[in-house]
């Protein structure tokens, strides 16, 4: 990112902070969303600094609650399986400003996340990295790469796709 684009990084699906380790050094503020308490508790042990805030909830297009099935052999593949005990909020409810970069890694739930972030996206115009690997979106009745299509409808342009990680900008 150019130096003038390093204000706020929003990480949806922050897991236990592995990716955030580097981002806290490049951005003034990191807003990390991780819904699974087991992983959420590990975040501060992995990420050093005082420029991040943790939000223990899932993000989607409507408020509600979900259950997340934890994959015992690859916790990074844990995913939503239906209604449950974990709260869901919309990113737009947080009213973040100065968002320069948004990373979404939610194992197939990407479209609801970007739909619930439409105002944040349009007002801040951040660069977006969205994982759209495989066909996990079909588990939620969505088409493959539906989040990417939605972002393009908002006016974003695809810059690159590396192994299913789409990078988009305005």
């Amino acid at each position: 990112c150019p130096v003038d684009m390093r204000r706020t990084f929003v990480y949806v699906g922050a897991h236990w902070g592995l990716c955030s380790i580097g981002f806290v050094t490049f951005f003034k503020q990191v807003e990390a969303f991780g819904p699974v308490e087991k992983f959420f508790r590990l975040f501060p042990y992995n990420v050093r600094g005082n420029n991040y805030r943790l939000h223990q909830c899932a993000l989607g297009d409507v408020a509600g609650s979900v259950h997340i099935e934890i994959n015992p052999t690859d916790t990074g593949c844990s995913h939503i399986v239906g209604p449950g005990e974990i709260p869901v909020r919309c990113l737009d409810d947080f009213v973040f400003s100065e968002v320069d970069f948004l990373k979404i890694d939610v194992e197939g739930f990407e479209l609801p996340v970007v739909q619930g972030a439409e105002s944040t996206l349009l007002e801040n115009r951040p660069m977006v990295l969205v994982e759209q690997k495989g066909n996990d979106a079909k588990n939620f009745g969505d088409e493959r790469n539906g989040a990417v299509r939605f972002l393009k409808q908002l006016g974003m342009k695809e810059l690159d796709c590396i192994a299913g990680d789409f990078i988009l900008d305005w």
Side-chain angles (χ1 to χ4, degrees):
C1 287
V3 174
D4 63 342
M5 287 192 59
R6 295 187 177 164
R7 296 172 300 176
T8 302
F9 169 61
V10 176
Y11 189 8
V12 184
H15 204 229
W16 50 45
L18 189 59
C19 187
S20 298
I21 292 170
F23 284 111
V24 295
T25 63
F26 293 115
F27 287 86
K28 290 178 187 171
Q29 181 66 32
V30 172
E31 303 289 346
F33 291 84
V36 178
E37 185 177 354
K38 288 181 184 182
F39 309 144
F40 194 77
R41 286 191 317 233
L42 296 172
F43 194 99
Y45 294 101
N46 292 317
V47 180
R48 302 289 183 235
N50 59 3
N51 61 327
Y52 67 86
R53 250 187 314 201
L54 301 174
H55 306 274
Q56 190 176 353
C57 65
L59 292 180
D61 56 343
V62 294
S65 62
V66 294
H67 178 74
I68 295 182
E69 182 176 279
I70 297 172
N71 182 325
T73 59
D74 183 357
T75 60
C77 291
S78 300
H79 59 280
I80 293 172
V81 292
E85 69 290 351
I86 296 171
V88 177
R89 295 184 61 192
C90 297
L91 183 62
D92 287 345
D93 294 340
F94 291 86
V95 194
F96 292 132
S97 62
E98 299 186 339
V99 176
D100 292 319
F101 193 79
L102 170 64
K103 181 180 188 305
I104 304 167
D105 181 1
V106 292
E107 308 306 316
F109 207 64
E110 298 83 9
L111 181 58
V113 170
V114 296
Q115 289 172 327
E118 184 173 354
S119 292
T120 302
L121 290 163
L122 292 172
E123 290 171 18
N124 292 275
R125 300 173 63 87
M127 182 175 279
V128 176
L129 183 134
V130 59
E131 275 197 19
Q132 293 269 246
K133 296 177 178 163
N135 206 13
D136 295 337
K138 72 176 184 232
N139 296 329
F140 306 102
D142 298 327
E143 299 175 33
R144 183 179 182 132
N145 301 338
V148 172
R149 272 190 288 291
F150 180 83
L151 293 168
K152 287 179 177 179
Q153 289 171 353
L154 293 180
M156 296 194 80
K157 308 242 182 303
E158 183 180 328
L159 301 180
D160 205 351
C161 178
I162 304 166
D165 291 342
F166 290 82
I167 302 166
L168 298 101
D169 203 357
W170 303 89

